[in-house]
Amino acid sequence: APLSASFFLGTPATSLADTPASATKNYDGFAEYAKENKMEQSDVGCFINKCGIQTKNLFSNPRGIKGVSCLGRCKGEQSCATRCFAEFGSEDLNEWLSCTIEENECVKVPKNVDNSAEDIGYTNTVKNFDPNSLVGTWYKTDGLNPNYDLFDCQTNVFSIPSGSKDASELDLGIFLRVLRPKEYGGGFWENALTEHMVVDAANKDEPNPTGRTMHTEGKMYGLKFNENWYILGESDGKKDVPPFKLVAYKGHTLQGNYEGAFVFAKEPRLPAAAIPAVREAAANAGLDFAKFTRIDNTCPT
């Protein structure tokens, strides 16, 4: 899921001209949008007139001010924004972002963004996928998108929601570390997030034109997102292939489209015996596993 937000309080759009080009701009449409100076000026009066309570709650403490300042300096760059949320994230910040960006447009962001790319799925997803096979703890071991997939020490815990009779829906707990820059003392921040997944593969009577395996939608850090997941390959641990899931995803926020892919395994590092099967599944989907990056799950304390 996306983690970024960008806004500039009372700052003219022309000040975005010095935004550094992102090495991963193909994955972050909003950073590129900001760089090209298309963002309109923020409506400062809106923060007080339409989001007064949220603004007061956020700016009444130094932590809230630091969070807003930190995000403003990021200018839409994803990894920078993620560090800001890890250090300064709070419910006050979430509510302020929701009110000022999505509900009242105090911050002007791209409109009429073409999200059709999200609906172009994969034709070779795992058939008859059993969502019960996801229940439990998995490590995210390798990722494709540097903006979303490559944080250190990633574990994902899937569980069947309380009261559910089957695994047609799953709760997902996401745990990761965000490195703290050396100028701020080094080390890391711990992050814990939650998502709720609806398993399309288990609801065969429902329309599924994209062929997605599952999907999630909701709000993260105050901003709405929609995301489709495609299980492209898997092993249940039999035939000498250690357990894994190869997942591709496509999603969007008001900032634009995003996509990527990653590997789940039962060990912190993808076992060598699983790599040929992962590589083959990726190739069948038009992905090159050689372009994935190993995630550091050594997790020193």
Side-chain angles (χ1 to χ4, degrees):
L3 303 178
S4 73
S6 180
F7 43 86
F8 304 87
L9 305 182
T11 303
T14 53
S15 71
L16 300 177
D18 61 351
T19 302
S22 170
T24 58
K25 65 179 182 179
N26 290 336
Y27 291 109
D28 197 341
F30 191 70
E32 186 174 7
Y33 183 94
K35 179 179 180 296
E36 293 176 355
N37 306 322
K38 296 178 181 177
M39 181 177 285
E40 301 171 34
Q41 186 172 350
S42 300
D43 179 1
V44 179
C46 176
F47 294 104
I48 302 301
N49 297 328
K50 295 184 178 179
C51 298
I53 294 176
Q54 293 84 353
T55 299
K56 179 180 179 180
N57 290 342
L58 182 65
F59 285 84
S60 63
N61 66 81
R63 179 182 175 87
I65 297 172
K66 289 180 179 179
V68 173
S69 300
C70 183
L71 286 169
R73 289 192 296 270
C74 291
K75 299 181 180 180
E77 202 281 313
Q78 177 66 46
S79 59
C80 173
T82 301
R83 289 196 298 269
C84 293
F85 282 118
E87 184 174 11
F88 301 112
S90 67
E91 193 58 36
D92 285 340
L93 181 56
N94 294 349
E95 292 179 358
W96 188 80
L97 291 173
S98 180
C99 184
T100 59
I101 295 179
E102 292 199 325
E103 296 172 18
N104 293 289
E105 298 185 353
C106 302
V107 181
K108 305 302 181 183
V109 295
K111 292 184 177 180
N112 302 318
V113 175
D114 181 6
N115 295 320
S116 59
E118 178 189 353
D119 295 326
I120 302 175
Y122 294 84
T123 59
N124 61 323
T125 55
V126 170
K127 306 303 179 186
N128 301 314
F129 175 72
D130 180 8
N132 289 286
S133 67
L134 266 178
V135 174
T137 299
W138 295 83
Y139 292 92
K140 188 180 288 187
T141 63
D142 301 81
L144 183 61
N145 186 329
N147 285 331
Y148 300 104
D149 301 333
L150 303 183
F151 300 105
D152 292 349
C153 303
Q154 293 195 60
T155 55
N156 286 237
V157 180
F158 291 88
S159 60
I160 298 175
S162 176
S164 295
K165 297 180 179 180
D166 54 38
S168 60
E169 298 188 18
L170 295 170
D171 287 333
L172 170 58
I174 304 168
F175 306 91
L176 55 89
R177 287 181 179 179
V178 179
L179 292 179
R180 182 186 290 116
K182 291 183 179 179
E183 58 266 32
Y184 294 103
F188 54 84
W189 294 291
E190 298 278 6
N191 242 17
L193 311 169
T194 59
E195 292 183 9
H196 182 76
M197 312 293 301
V198 177
V199 184
D200 299 86
N203 296 285
K204 298 185 181 299
D205 294 334
E206 297 295 326
N208 185 13
T210 66
R212 63 193 180 190
T213 307
M214 60 186 72
H215 71 277
T216 181
E217 60 184 45
K219 282 191 175 184
M220 186 170 292
Y221 297 123
L223 302 180
K224 295 178 182 177
F225 72 94
N226 298 80
E227 190 170 289
N228 296 333
W229 282 29
Y230 303 86
I231 307 295
L232 303 178
E234 66 176 351
S235 171
D236 58 5
K238 298 178 181 178
K239 298 182 180 180
D240 298 322
V241 179
F244 77 86
K245 308 285 184 186
L246 174 61
V247 183
Y249 61 87
K250 295 186 177 186
H252 78 270
T253 68
L254 53 75
Q255 300 170 351
N257 301 309
Y258 62 91
E259 61 181 287
F262 56 82
V263 180
F264 280 140
K266 285 295 186 178
E267 302 175 34
R269 181 169 174 171
L270 180 65
I275 292 177
V278 173
R279 184 183 294 116
E280 180 181 4
N284 290 338
L287 302 175
D288 183 358
F289 186 63
K291 295 182 179 180
F292 285 57
T293 299
R294 181 180 297 156
I295 294 167
D296 183 359
N297 286 322
T298 53
C299 306
T301 57

